Amino acid sequence: MENESSVQIISEWDIVAARQLGRNIAKELGFGTVDQARITTAISELARNIYLYAGHGEIHFEPVNDFEKRGLKVMAVDHGPGIQDIRRVMEDGFSTSGGLGAGLPGVKRLMDEFDLTSSLGEGTTIRVAKWLRDRRVG
């Protein structure tokens, strides 16, 4: 993972930094503006969740450029309280912060891959990926 970059999430400004870094990497990889916006929105939600619920954590970025796939993997890691009811937080409309509840279900819809693991008292790790579409005309 020598190409990996990361942003520590401690303050609200770190959410902005994570968004900007994610957008820049997505642009460099060749994602169009719509997918850049999708990626940026997902990163914003993941970073915001770290800030609101865990207090601190990291967002890691791993560009993927191999023979099989090209794209961006993003991993959000925190050592906060964990998620008590994963099934519930994945329901549209559910919110513990008084927000719209688009959160993690929205992230899942925006990205091509989504994996969430959480342990009470230990923290949460969310891995997502967005893949570039093959632009060759067949």
Side-chain angles (χ1 to χ4, degrees):
M1 294 220 256
E2 68 272 355
N3 293 332
E4 186 178 312
S5 302
S6 63
V7 174
Q8 295 288 319
I9 306 298
I10 300 168
S11 73
E12 288 185 86
W13 288 109
D14 299 326
I15 298 168
V16 175
R19 285 175 54 93
Q20 289 175 336
L21 180 57
R23 182 181 294 276
N24 290 343
I25 293 170
K27 187 175 183 179
E28 288 173 15
L29 286 168
F31 282 101
T33 55
V34 172
D35 277 340
Q36 288 176 39
R38 288 179 177 129
I39 292 166
T40 303
T41 301
I43 291 166
S44 182
E45 184 63 31
L46 294 171
R48 183 180 156 279
N49 283 352
I50 289 172
Y51 176 71
L52 285 177
Y53 301 114
H56 65 281
E58 307 91 38
I59 301 285
H60 300 273
F61 303 92
E62 182 188 354
V64 177
N65 192 4
D66 61 31
F67 295 111
E68 296 175 16
K69 286 188 176 182
R70 288 185 54 217
L72 178 61
K73 291 183 180 180
V74 178
M75 183 170 64
V77 181
D78 70 62
H79 301 287
I83 299 172
Q84 189 166 7
D85 189 346
I86 292 173
R87 194 166 53 192
R88 185 94 192 262
V89 301
M90 292 307 297
E91 291 176 5
D92 280 317
F94 177 76
S95 174
T96 56
S97 66
L100 297 175
L104 294 179
V107 171
K108 185 174 182 178
R109 282 190 296 272
L110 290 167
M111 302 299 279
D112 296 324
E113 293 181 12
F114 179 95
D115 179 66
L116 185 157
T117 56
S118 188
S119 297
L120 290 179
E122 294 181 26
T124 301
T125 300
I126 301 173
R127 292 174 180 84
V128 298
K130 191 71 169 172
W131 303 113
L132 279 162
R133 308 292 180 251
D134 189 356
R135 294 189 179 152
R136 289 178 291 172
V137 176

